[in-house]
Structure formats: structure tokens, C-alpha cells
């Protein structure tokens, strides 16, 4: 009989990623953060919808295009209402949408992104699945070290002793986290 625990961790971002944009007031590339607010503008019978970002240095605004020249009836009523209400969940979803960011030539910065890892800390051997609602493009080692409270040296020691192993032999030092990543912990309550 196996004493292996099967645990799921969920990675929850605590904020949205900044994007690198050229700031015409600062005179160079700067980080812009989402304000969580939408701008909805009517042009005749068409709508334009943007998510408003602000430069972290000077406060200059940049509007990330969500919809351009669309008929109001082409947007589901609940979604249209969410834009008008500045719905926080919809703003977050747009700020993490890599295709939308790419379409707007916005380069997301995940390095300083704060996140929480929700789930039980194993008491012994464990198979852990790491899930999340958004692709955060962060190193798997950062998630593991944060959740398990490990220094870089302690993490490398566990890797060397094969007490933390990634699925399919993935290099846990270099691998980026993807939704559904699985890791194995093999040790005797040393965490």
C-alpha cells in the first residue's frame, strides 16, 4: 500500500503583469500596469473598447485595444455590461490574454508578478499537480521554492538528491510552469 499523497496546488496571481511600452513622456521603454478600467467609446453605430494602462513612472495612459469598430450586438450582452461596469474579473482576464497582448504589441513582464500557491504542504512522499487559471510564464522553481519555503541552495540540494523530480525528466531549474504540470516529492518529512 502506497503512502503517497496526491495533492493539487493552484497558482493564483495577486496582480496582473506589467507590459513594456514606449512612453512618450518618459522618453523610452517603461512598464505600464493595468488600471482595471475599460474605456468604451461609440463611433456612430460601432464601438471601440480598450483596457486602460498607466505608466508606472509618470502615470501616462495607454489604451490596449480589446474591440475596434464592432457592432454592439456582436458582443454578448453580459460581456458588454461587464465592460461598462469595469468588471474586475474581465479586466484581469484581458490583462493576462497573451493573444490580445501580442495583437497590441505589448510585451508582458512576469518577473515581478506576485502570486500565491494554494494547497496543502505534503507531509511525506507526494505527487503534486500544479494548476492555475492564467499562464504566468514563471519558473517552476520559483513556485516550488515559495510554496515549500526553500532557499535556492536547499532547492538545489533536493534536486541533486532526486527528492524533487519533474514529470518526463523536466529540468526543474529551467522549466517554466504550465497549467497541469506534475512533480514528485520523495523524502522523509524533511520540509
Amino acid at each position: 500500500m502506497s503512502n503517497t499523497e496526491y495533492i493539487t496546488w493552484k497558482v493564483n496571481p495577486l496582480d496582473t503583469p506589467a507590459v513594456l511600452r514606449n512612453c512618450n513622456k518618459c522618453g523610452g521603454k517603461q512598464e505600464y500596469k493595468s488600471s482595471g478600467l475599460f474605456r468604451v467609446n461609440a463611433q456612430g453605430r460601432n464601438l471601440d473598447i480598450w483596457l486602460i494602462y498607466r505608466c508606472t513612472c509618470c502615470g501616462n495612459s495607454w489604451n490596449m485595444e480589446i474591440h475596434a469598430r464592432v457592432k454592439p450586438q456582436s458582443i454578448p450582452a453580459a460581456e458588454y455590461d461587464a465592460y461598462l461596469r469595469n468588471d474586475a474579473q474581465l479586466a484581469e482576464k484581458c490583462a493576462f490574454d497573451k493573444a490580445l497582448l501580442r495583437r497590441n504589441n505589448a510585451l508582458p513582464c512576469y518577473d515581478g508578478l506576485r502570486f500565491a500557491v494554494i494547497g496543502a504542504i505534503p507531509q511525506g512522499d507526494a505527487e503534486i499537480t500544479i494548476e492555475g487559471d492564467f499562464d504566468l510564464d514563471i519558473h517552476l522553481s520559483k513556485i516550488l521554492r515559495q510554496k515549500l519555503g526553500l532557499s535556492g541552495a536547499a532547492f538545489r540540494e533536493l534536486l541533486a538528491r532526486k527528492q524533487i523530480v519533474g514529470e518526463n525528466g523536466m529540468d526543474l531549474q529551467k522549466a517554466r510552469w504550465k497549467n497541469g504540470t506534475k512533480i514528485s516529492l520523495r523524502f522523509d518529512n524533511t520540509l
Side-chain angles (χ1 to χ4, degrees):
M1 182 150 109
S2 171
N3 289 332
T4 301
E5 294 179 73
Y6 292 89
I7 298 173
T8 299
W9 289 347
K10 183 164 185 193
V11 180
N12 289 334
L14 300 176
D15 50 15
T16 56
V19 297
L20 281 179
R21 297 279 310 165
N22 215 14
C23 179
N24 55 9
K25 285 189 179 176
C26 293
K29 290 233 183 250
Q30 296 294 339
E31 286 190 353
Y32 278 71
K33 290 289 285 178
S34 169
S35 67
L37 303 173
F38 293 101
R39 178 172 176 214
V40 179
N41 190 38
Q43 291 287 331
R45 295 183 181 179
N46 296 319
L47 290 176
D48 293 319
I49 300 174
W50 300 277
L51 178 60
I52 302 169
Y53 280 75
R54 298 248 178 238
C55 175
T56 58
C57 289
C58 70
N60 187 35
S61 68
W62 167 66
N63 295 336
M64 182 173 75
E65 183 180 272
I66 310 285
H67 294 288
R69 304 288 191 263
V70 297
K71 302 286 183 211
Q73 59 272 25
S74 71
I75 302 171
E79 182 180 338
Y80 180 63
D81 182 56
Y83 289 125
L84 294 176
R85 288 184 293 105
N86 290 313
D87 182 78
Q89 287 181 320
L90 182 57
E92 182 181 56
K93 179 181 172 191
C94 291
F96 278 104
D97 187 329
K98 286 189 173 182
L100 187 59
L101 291 165
R102 212 174 8 262
R103 195 172 79 214
N104 281 276
N105 296 318
L107 179 64
C109 306
Y110 297 98
D111 292 339
L113 186 69
R114 297 174 309 118
F115 60 90
V117 184
I118 311 302
I121 301 248
Q123 300 304 307
D125 292 353
E127 298 290 328
I128 299 172
T129 303
I130 307 171
E131 300 177 344
D133 294 332
F134 302 108
D135 178 6
L136 304 182
D137 199 22
I138 54 179
H139 283 97
L140 191 52
S141 61
K142 188 173 183 179
I143 294 170
L144 295 168
R145 287 179 46 218
Q146 178 177 312
K147 182 63 178 176
L148 299 172
L150 298 171
S151 68
F155 181 71
R156 286 188 297 277
E157 172 81 16
L158 291 174
L159 287 176
R161 292 189 297 187
K162 304 232 183 277
Q163 291 181 296
I164 299 179
V165 179
E167 64 184 335
N168 300 324
M170 94 173 44
D171 182 346
L172 295 179
Q173 290 270 65
K174 296 179 182 173
R176 296 220 176 245
W177 169 70
K178 294 194 180 334
N179 188 27
T181 297
K182 295 181 186 316
I183 60 146
S184 300
L185 301 178
R186 301 284 175 248
F187 39 17
D188 53 0
N189 300 327
T190 56
L191 288 181

